[in-house]
Amino acid sequence: MSNDWQRLSPWAIVFFAFRGLKHIANLYPAFIGVFITAQHFDLGWGAIALYTFYAFVVLVLGASLYYLNFFYIQQGDKFLIRSGILQKDRLELPFARIQNITVKEPFYFRPLGLVILNMDSAGSAQKEVGIAALSLAKAATIKDTIEQYNAGRSSEAEMSDTTANTETDKVDPSTKTLLITRSNADIILHGITHNRAWLLLAFMAPFFEQIQTLLFHVIETIGFDFATWISNKSVFVITMLFIVSAFFVFFVMSLLSVLGSILSLYDFKLYAGKNVYQRNSGLLNKHEIQVKKSRVQALRYVQNWMDRIVGRLVLILEPFNASSGQPAASIMQKILVPSINDTEFDGLAKHVYPTFALQKDTFKPISKYYLVRKLYMVVLPLFAATAAVAIVSKQYELLVFTPLVFLLMPLFYCRWRRYGWTQCDDYLVVRSGFIGVEYFVFPRYKVQQVKVYQSIFLKRKKLASVQFVLASRAAFIPFMGEQDAHALANNTLYEVEMSGRSWM
């Protein structure tokens, strides 16, 4: 490649503007304050619209300046990137440190035949580098160059006395294997059973008063006196109105969840190449996500209560950048297979871990002392605190409700029933959940740390808790038998030491 620094296409300004909008969206609590202040001073919608236009101009101007100061160049086996407006950043990205490469086709680039090439260098979305507004051919060239380089390094490390193998990890049409697809019905069902649209209600909570005022204003505008109408209705009618309204809200939230599922997972296909898994999906924004097989740390069988009703589940392949506390854990940055059944799970799990078979009747339960601890450490203190508040405040009628805290015990019982663990060949499976269930499956040689917890109280009961730390997340088994806990920890550490296999 040329030694001259290269500039992105001017269309990258659109990408930087959308990225700026995402950062602004994260500051929505501040905008709530601005909105409330604007309502207090009665600025009017005209002034708000004018300020919104000014903000749009500033956003586009900032995106344009960032574009003018963004340069990249390929020098041998590394990328150099210069960016920043006031603070200048210079990033050196060696090919050998690039872990995942993702090609995205956002809706605003698709008519132009442009894509975004994301390169993840450190297992975190915070370290992700995006080169925007590339032609599909140029992005493919850069991607092939990186993959060929890394494939050559792997071949040299494995066969130093032979000619390096130049076959890449790329999933190409001639060698890829289609593992599974999902129909539109499956994707819609996933949107219903994994409804996350309720988070929108939390986002809108600060605006409920304004929304209510606006709604009543609209009703009054059309000449309907809602306050008088509702005051003349019986309790039964008001109750039915509330129930119908709740169902309507649930219906709207479900539609939003289904829409999000379709936008993210439409035309879902999971492929397997020689050394990688590749997921293709997306309606407006096309996503191609690749994860090297060696970087899969664990697989998860996730079945919530609605999945249990319809007999479906979600399979998730956990790469080492899938920590739940990071943005990389989002639906668009990991291998997630939606709405499958147990048979399909077994087939995919066999492909990932050939010697693994999930046997649900072999799990060992944790100790019932878990329930005793919850009673003494949670329920009874909460009961005492509630009673004390009622007595101190002289609201003695509240004492009638204090026994309700004991209703927590059936919930803890369900949680206790879900906890369990089992070993299958070289794999450890941890079961957890509440009404639903999750199985966390990982090879023991992938474990990076093992922690055994034993308080004075657990020691007296000859119990211990064990935590297995992987590069993607941690698996925790509480209140095991003391001998089982130490044996499992020691066997796992022995497997890590003696296998000699890399977790990557």
Side-chain angles (χ1 to χ4, degrees):
M1 188 174 285
S2 170
N3 289 326
D4 296 329
W5 288 88
Q6 299 185 54
R7 191 189 297 276
L8 300 175
S9 165
W11 288 106
I13 295 174
V14 181
F15 165 74
F16 293 129
F18 270 92
R19 191 174 68 175
L21 280 176
K22 290 182 180 180
H23 291 310
I24 292 174
N26 292 330
L27 301 175
Y28 85 92
F31 286 96
I32 294 174
V34 173
F35 182 81
I36 294 175
T37 302
Q39 291 292 313
H40 176 74
F41 288 103
D42 195 21
L43 296 180
W45 291 106
I48 294 176
L50 181 62
Y51 293 144
T52 302
F53 173 75
Y54 290 156
F56 174 77
V57 172
V58 171
L59 179 67
V60 173
L61 178 61
S64 302
L65 291 175
Y66 197 88
Y67 155 74
L68 292 174
N69 288 275
F70 190 100
F71 301 90
Y72 73 96
I73 187 174
Q74 178 187 336
Q75 290 185 346
D77 59 353
K78 61 185 177 183
F79 265 104
L80 298 178
I81 296 176
R82 292 190 333 211
S83 62
I85 302 175
L86 299 179
Q87 176 179 319
K88 300 296 184 179
D89 296 324
R90 181 184 176 97
L91 175 65
E92 182 174 314
L93 186 62
F95 290 173
R97 296 190 60 187
I98 296 176
Q99 310 295 348
N100 298 315
I101 304 174
T102 304
V103 177
K104 298 182 181 180
E105 296 181 62
F107 67 93
Y108 49 84
F109 279 167
R110 289 181 66 188
L112 305 170
L114 302 176
V115 299
I116 303 169
L117 184 68
N118 284 340
M119 296 174 287
D120 182 6
S121 64
S124 168
Q126 295 177 349
K127 297 296 183 182
E128 192 176 65
V129 176
I131 302 180
L134 296 176
S135 67
L136 187 59
K138 189 168 186 178
T141 300
I142 295 174
K143 182 179 175 183
D144 289 347
T145 301
I146 297 171
E147 290 174 338
Q148 288 174 1
Y149 174 83
N150 287 330
R153 289 180 69 251
S154 299
S155 298
E156 290 175 2
E158 295 174 2
M159 301 181 300
S160 58
D161 57 337
T162 61
T163 302
N165 180 13
T166 59
E167 182 178 358
T168 71
D169 289 335
K170 181 182 177 182
V171 180
D172 61 69
S174 62
T175 62
K176 67 183 178 182
T177 300
L178 178 61
L179 297 182
I180 194 170
T181 63
R182 295 287 83 191
S183 67
N184 291 336
D186 294 326
I187 293 170
I188 291 173
L189 183 60
H190 176 77
I192 295 173
T193 57
H194 290 259
N195 192 340
R196 298 293 183 267
W198 293 102
L199 297 175
L200 181 63
L201 292 180
F203 178 86
M204 295 174 58
F207 303 101
F208 280 167
E209 183 178 351
Q210 287 78 11
I211 294 173
Q212 178 182 342
T213 303
L214 178 62
L215 181 61
F216 284 156
H217 177 72
V218 171
I219 293 175
E220 291 174 358
T221 302
I222 62 178
F224 180 72
D225 190 350
F226 180 77
T228 302
W229 180 84
I230 197 68
S231 63
N232 295 327
K233 300 303 176 183
S234 65
V235 175
F236 174 78
V237 173
I238 295 174
T239 302
M240 293 303 299
L241 178 63
F242 174 80
I243 293 174
V244 171
S245 301
F247 273 106
F248 176 76
V249 171
F250 177 80
F251 177 73
V252 172
M253 294 296 101
S254 297
L255 285 181
L256 291 175
S257 179
V258 168
L259 177 62
S261 182
I262 292 174
L263 291 175
S264 302
L265 300 172
Y266 177 78
D267 195 25
F268 180 96
K269 292 182 177 64
L270 178 63
Y271 298 99
K274 178 183 177 182
N275 295 313
V276 298
Y277 291 108
Q278 176 178 305
R279 194 194 89 180
N280 290 10
S281 65
L283 181 59
L284 298 179
N285 298 339
K286 294 292 185 180
H287 292 260
E288 176 189 300
I289 301 172
Q290 291 189 5
V291 174
K292 289 186 178 181
K293 293 180 180 179
S294 62
R295 284 170 168 71
V296 175
Q297 302 297 303
L299 61 85
R300 292 167 57 204
Y301 172 118
V302 180
Q303 186 179 55
N304 63 24
W305 68 273
M306 294 188 70
D307 283 328
R308 289 177 64 82
I309 294 175
V310 298
R312 297 298 183 97
L313 61 102
V314 173
L315 169 67
I316 301 174
L317 300 186
E318 292 272 9
F320 69 86
N321 64 345
S323 175
S324 59
Q326 297 292 346
S330 71
I331 189 174
M332 296 313 304
Q333 304 217 7
K334 59 180 155 187
I335 304 294
L336 178 149
V337 186
S339 196
I340 62 177
N341 55 41
D342 282 326
T343 302
E344 291 168 326
F345 171 84
D346 291 337
L348 292 173
K350 279 284 187 183
H351 195 281
V352 180
Y353 299 142
T355 61
F356 171 75
L358 180 60
Q359 299 177 356
K360 298 181 180 180
D361 56 349
T362 62
F363 281 80
K364 297 181 180 181
I366 64 173
S367 171
K368 292 182 180 179
Y369 187 65
Y370 173 86
L371 297 175
V372 177
R373 284 292 298 272
K374 292 300 181 183
L375 175 64
Y376 284 104
M377 302 298 292
V378 178
V379 176
L380 290 181
L382 185 60
F383 172 81
T386 306
V389 169
I391 293 173
V392 170
S393 63
K394 296 183 180 182
Q395 301 289 329
Y396 299 111
E397 63 275 10
L398 296 179
L399 292 174
V400 178
F401 301 100
T402 52
L404 294 178
V405 298
F406 286 95
L407 294 178
L408 291 173
M409 286 308 298
L411 304 182
F412 289 131
Y413 176 80
C414 292
R415 182 72 168 169
W416 169 76
R417 285 289 300 259
R418 285 284 176 244
Y419 263 121
W421 61 278
T422 188
Q423 297 183 82
C424 175
D425 197 24
D426 294 329
Y427 306 99
L428 186 62
V429 188
V430 179
R431 185 183 64 195
S432 62
F434 176 51
I435 299 177
V437 64
E438 176 177 325
Y439 297 94
F440 188 69
V441 185
F442 57 93
R444 288 187 295 179
Y445 74 87
K446 296 271 188 179
V447 173
Q448 297 188 347
Q449 296 181 33
V450 179
K451 301 178 181 179
V452 179
Y453 301 92
Q454 191 174 39
S455 65
I456 297 176
F457 300 103
L458 289 181
K459 190 174 184 63
R460 290 177 58 186
K461 297 293 182 179
K462 296 184 178 180
L463 299 173
S465 300
V466 183
Q467 184 181 49
F468 301 92
V469 180
L470 291 89
S472 59
R473 64 177 61 221
F476 186 69
I477 312 175
F479 298 92
M480 297 176 60
E482 184 179 51
Q483 292 183 352
D484 285 340
H486 288 292
L488 189 60
N490 292 335
N491 291 339
T492 300
L493 292 174
Y494 178 81
E495 176 70 20
V496 172
E497 183 177 355
M498 296 305 295
S499 68
R501 302 172 66 181
S502 172
W503 61 273
M504 293 180 58

